[in-house]
Amino acid sequence: MASRLTTAQSTVAMWCWGRPTIVTLAAMALLATLPAPAVAQRARPAPPVEATAPREAGEPIMAIVSIKTQHVTFYDADGWIARAPVSTGTTGRETPAGIFAILEKNRDHRSSLYDDAEMPHMQRITWNGIAMHGGPLPGYAASHGCIRMPFGFAEKQFDRTRIGMRVIISPNDAAPVEISHPALLMPKAEAVATAPSRVETLAREAAEAVKTADEAKKAAATAARESASLAASLRKLEGLKRSADAELASADKASAAAKTDQARTQAEDRKQKAAPRAVQAATELDTAKADTKSKLDAAAAAKDAAKASEKRKAELTKAAGEAKLALEPVSIYISRATQKLYVRRNTHKPAPDGGGEVFDTSIEVPIAIRDPGRRIGTHVFTAMARNDSGLRWSAVTIDNGDDARGALDRITIPQDVLDRIAPTALPRSSIVISDEPLSRETNYRTEFVVVLSDQPQGGFITRRPSPAVDMADSSTWGGESSGFFFQPWSPQPQTGTTRQRGGQPYYPAQQGNPMQQGYPMQRW
């Protein structure tokens, strides 16, 4: 009875509170009956806020953008150092998810695509117009494909970052975790310590080889000119000897055919005059032949010496270039789609067409991936800092497939590649493993550009593709011609889809196309 009374009183009280109160209480009761995960799904996540790590920040190594939660986090060797809300591309102009790097920085950039819009503290990550920069943040994705950051935050990070810093754009939240694995590069302390002095030695030897080659080339040219002059003189002497021999033979024939004493006397007189001339011509010809042979032998020797000097110059120039590149962090990209391994390093040489810096692209080799028909995911492994064993590595995974360790288990990096890059691997070096091919946005003035083909990329669709540019072959890096020759690179049109697959196709440096002057870079 008491229970019924209590219930009745409670019901009356609820009606007295009014209908809104009843609805609220009913909703609360419904939430109370739901399992915890369902409640969590219905709860609105707290909006991202700008924050700075409570410690002294080092130089940023990477930035990770989460499209799902609209925030960016910058990391140094010891962890996160700064995070802030962002606004990425809106529907139809989505910011492409994938792996990028800073290509160019401009403190006071203005857009040529969008009504001269201000893009302060712009840090470009693709040449067709995707960048990080300061801008308004409405609290949701609202840009034309770029990554807007708070104005003050963008300014602070602009002053800290460098060209080549990794930018990872993830569909969901992602963060680096420490990892160790035999497949990750482990440098040799002795090789790292001696690398700078090796650069100096090889640079000096290369400079001497260039000088020697130039001198040998000049000597060979001089010897060739002298040989040509002697050959002309030799031909003249041969003509004189033929004339003298012919005169002597004619006089001898006339003497034999003479019918009178007077004719015989005249013929003998001609013989006496022609004979010494023939002897003299023969002597001069023999002397000239001997002299010409020695000069021709010298010219041939000079030519051989010039060829040997050029070969040594090329070898030392290449070795000096590789030694210099060994002082830079190395990036490796392994694609399950193409079954290839690519290596890049920043040369810090300005691009000849006036935008960004040139990246070395001299290594591109086949690679074995175990079970190549199965997805492997997309993983970024970064050498964060040195430690007692060589390098301390982190892993970031942004696409489904194997976990990071499982992905490493499936690859085998060729030994000759390891021999070239592992001994001097430095912090900021990276290995990227992905199901995707390299994006068509990858060219000689970019680090690796990779986009996830199963994610929307409207930010690429609404922009013109990067113009045809020249890929770099750095096999002669550091030589007289600035170390690079360029070949045309022009992405072929893609078939229309609702989601542009910006990851296809990739055109490698070597295409067999004729050399051609660089195209002007697109501005935006």
Side-chain angles (χ1 to χ4, degrees):
M1 186 69 176
S3 298
R4 289 178 181 177
L5 180 61
T6 302
T7 302
Q9 291 174 343
S10 300
T11 303
V12 172
M14 289 171 65
W15 281 107
C16 291
W17 291 342
R19 186 169 182 176
T21 304
I22 296 173
V23 173
T24 301
L25 291 175
M28 293 175 61
L30 178 60
L31 286 173
T33 63
L34 291 173
V39 176
Q41 289 176 1
R42 285 166 173 76
R44 181 182 293 275
V49 296
E50 188 172 335
T52 302
R55 60 179 177 84
E56 184 177 354
E59 185 178 355
I61 292 179
M62 73 177 78
I64 302 179
V65 177
S66 170
I67 294 176
K68 178 180 180 180
T69 56
Q70 293 289 287
H71 77 274
V72 61
T73 305
F74 285 76
Y75 295 86
D76 68 4
D78 297 318
W80 77 275
I81 53 175
R83 59 171 56 105
V86 298
S87 183
T88 60
T90 188
T91 302
R93 300 177 181 269
E94 297 89 351
T95 302
I99 301 164
F100 308 86
I102 295 175
L103 307 176
E104 184 183 46
K105 299 172 66 173
N106 188 336
R107 190 176 297 274
D108 301 307
H109 187 73
R110 286 182 174 271
S111 173
S112 64
L113 293 181
Y114 301 110
D115 301 322
D116 200 37
E118 292 186 0
M119 301 170 66
H121 303 102
M122 183 274 292
Q123 302 187 66
R124 186 194 300 271
I125 61 174
T126 75
W127 287 113
N128 76 345
I130 306 295
M132 302 187 296
H133 60 82
L137 302 181
Y140 49 84
S143 79
H144 289 90
C146 285
I147 301 160
R148 299 182 195 163
M149 300 181 290
F151 288 103
F153 183 87
E155 181 179 6
K156 290 177 184 176
Q157 304 315 313
F158 183 92
D159 293 334
R160 292 175 176 172
T161 60
R162 66 163 76 172
I163 299 295
M165 189 198 79
R166 179 77 67 202
V167 178
I168 301 170
I169 303 177
S170 175
N172 302 298
D173 289 347
V177 295
E178 287 202 17
I179 188 172
S180 60
H181 192 279
L184 296 173
L185 305 179
M186 281 297 151
K188 298 178 180 178
E190 182 180 356
V192 173
T194 58
S197 60
R198 184 168 183 268
V199 170
E200 292 180 4
T201 300
L202 286 172
R204 183 174 60 254
E205 291 179 354
E208 292 173 355
V210 169
K211 183 179 179 181
T212 301
D214 288 343
E215 292 174 351
K217 187 176 180 180
K218 290 177 182 177
T222 300
R225 285 194 300 270
E226 291 178 352
S227 298
S229 176
L230 285 172
S233 299
L234 190 63
R235 287 193 296 273
K236 183 178 180 180
L237 289 173
E238 287 174 342
L240 291 175
K241 183 178 183 300
R242 283 195 299 272
S243 296
D245 289 343
E247 175 63 19
L248 180 61
S250 176
D252 190 52
K253 185 177 181 180
S255 177
K259 300 298 184 180
T260 64
D261 292 341
Q262 183 180 2
R264 189 176 296 107
T265 301
Q266 290 176 348
E268 288 297 326
D269 184 54
R270 286 177 57 199
K271 285 179 60 177
Q272 289 178 4
K273 292 179 180 179
R277 287 199 295 269
V279 172
Q280 182 181 359
T283 302
E284 290 178 354
L285 180 60
D286 290 343
T287 303
K289 283 182 176 180
D291 190 25
T292 299
K293 183 178 183 306
S294 65
K295 291 295 178 63
L296 288 174
D297 290 343
K303 186 177 180 180
D304 291 341
K307 286 183 178 179
S309 296
E310 283 293 329
K311 182 179 179 181
R312 177 169 172 76
K313 181 184 79 170
E315 291 172 347
L316 285 173
T317 298
K318 182 179 179 180
E322 290 182 351
K324 187 175 181 180
L325 286 173
L327 301 180
E328 292 292 324
V330 61
S331 294
I332 299 174
Y333 184 70
I334 297 171
S335 168
R336 185 178 69 87
T338 63
Q339 300 286 294
K340 283 188 176 182
L341 176 149
Y342 311 86
V343 178
R344 292 204 162 192
R345 283 185 171 114
N346 193 349
T347 68
H348 299 294
K349 287 180 174 288
D353 48 7
E357 297 177 347
V358 172
F359 285 78
D360 173 77
T361 61
S362 55
I363 300 179
E364 179 179 316
V365 296
I367 188 171
I369 300 178
R370 182 167 52 83
D371 196 5
R374 179 165 57 89
R375 284 184 60 82
I376 200 168
T378 297
H379 315 271
V380 183
F381 304 90
T382 307
M384 304 299 286
R386 290 189 175 93
N387 61 13
D388 293 340
S389 61
L391 292 172
R392 173 167 56 83
W393 289 82
S394 73
V396 178
T397 297
I398 64 169
D399 196 19
N400 294 330
D402 288 337
D403 60 20
R405 191 174 298 279
L408 289 171
D409 288 339
R410 289 173 60 187
I411 67 168
T412 303
I413 299 179
Q415 189 59 48
D416 61 331
V417 175
L418 286 175
D419 291 342
R420 290 180 64 178
I421 62 180
T424 56
L426 300 169
R428 294 178 173 273
S429 295
S430 62
I431 300 175
V432 180
I433 303 174
S434 179
D435 295 299
E436 307 289 350
L438 285 172
S439 166
R440 65 181 184 178
E441 290 299 318
T442 303
N443 59 64
Y444 80 97
R445 61 178 190 266
T446 73
E447 226 254 29
F448 298 122
V449 180
V450 183
V451 295
L452 304 186
S453 58
D454 61 350
Q455 297 295 318
Q457 295 157 32
F460 275 157
I461 295 174
T462 56
R463 287 170 164 79
R464 296 185 300 274
S466 292
V469 295
D470 292 332
M471 299 296 289
D473 182 327
S474 56
S475 59
T476 57
W477 190 87
E480 295 175 280
S481 59
S482 300
F484 286 83
F485 63 84
F486 301 95
Q487 295 184 333
W489 174 88
S490 179
Q492 297 174 354
Q494 299 175 349
T495 56
T497 60
T498 55
R499 292 183 175 181
Q500 173 140 336
R501 299 183 180 274
Q504 295 107 9
Y506 166 68
Y507 295 89
Q510 301 292 341
Q511 302 182 76
N513 292 324
M515 292 171 60
Q516 185 171 329
Q517 196 66 24
Y519 295 89
M521 186 182 65
Q522 177 176 338
R523 289 295 178 183
W524 51 280

